[in-house]
Amino acid sequence: DTPFFHGFRFCTKLWLCNKGNYYSAIRNVAESIAYFRRALKLNRNYHLAWTLLGHDYIELKNPNAAIECYRRAISKFSRIFFHVFFWYNGWPELDVNTRDYRAWYGIGQAYEILNLPQYGLYYYLKATELRWACDCDKQSKWGSKLKSA
């Protein structure tokens, strides 16, 4: 029953994030935040939910809460904590992503709202570096597939 349960939790948190993203797209931010928080109750380290929640806090002009959400999306500490805590209890799904350029960009945006452009510039540059690396990875994967065909 364990694999089914983990699959169910994955589908549920994905569904909750999709629903939250829908409400965010139609500018119903309060409803969107509720769905992202429900997804985070299932997995506190679900980086996509943290990133999207940060975007909603940017919409609400709450940059401090947005920075906290984005930092949780890219946090290395939570990854280390889970490795220690679940050493004997089995490994949960780990969704913390330090290479998520959207979270790095969001932190830069929040610092810009706080009138701290020197901090924002660092995060914008990091987001650009990660985005460029991501695009290069995709191009090299496609290039190798095309060459082998």
Side-chain angles (χ1 to χ4, degrees), residues 101-102 104-105 121-135:
Y101 67 90
R102 297 167 298 190
W104 289 94
Y105 181 84
L121 181 61
Y122 168 78
Y123 290 101
Y124 283 141
L125 291 173
K126 181 71 173 175
T128 304
E129 174 188 324
L130 290 172
R131 174 65 181 187
W132 185 79
C134 180
D135 286 344

Side-chain angles (χ1 to χ4, degrees), residues 11-59:
C11 291
T12 304
K13 72 180 181 179
L14 191 60
W15 180 83
L16 289 169
C17 275
N18 284 340
K19 192 82 167 168
N21 210 14
Y22 166 75
Y23 282 113
S24 186
I26 63 170
R27 302 284 189 236
N28 188 347
V29 178
E31 193 74 25
S32 175
I33 288 174
Y35 277 102
F36 292 136
R37 286 187 178 166
R38 286 175 60 192
L40 289 168
K41 282 183 183 178
L42 293 175
N43 185 349
R44 298 292 296 170
N45 284 331
Y46 189 38
H47 74 92
L48 182 61
W50 282 117
T51 301
L52 294 172
L53 187 58
H55 293 339
D56 281 347
Y57 282 128
I58 290 288
E59 285 292 318

Side-chain angles (χ1 to χ4, degrees), residues 98-116:
T98 57
R99 295 179 47 121
D100 184 9
Y101 67 90
R102 297 167 298 190
W104 289 94
Y105 181 84
I107 295 173
Q109 204 174 15
Y111 278 123
E112 193 173 346
I113 291 171
L114 290 170
N115 292 324
L116 296 170

Side-chain angles (χ1 to χ4, degrees), residues 130-149:
L130 290 172
R131 174 65 181 187
W132 185 79
C134 180
D135 286 344
C136 287
D137 288 346
K138 288 178 185 176
Q139 289 174 359
S140 66
K141 287 177 187 175
W142 279 107
S144 64
K145 287 181 182 181
L146 291 174
K147 288 177 187 175
S148 64

Side-chain angles (χ1 to χ4, degrees), residues 81-102:
F81 169 77
F82 270 90
H83 279 289
V84 171
F85 186 75
F86 288 102
W87 186 261
Y88 294 107
N89 299 330
W91 297 96
E93 185 176 342
L94 216 51
D95 284 324
V96 178
N97 187 1
T98 57
R99 295 179 47 121
D100 184 9
Y101 67 90
R102 297 167 298 190

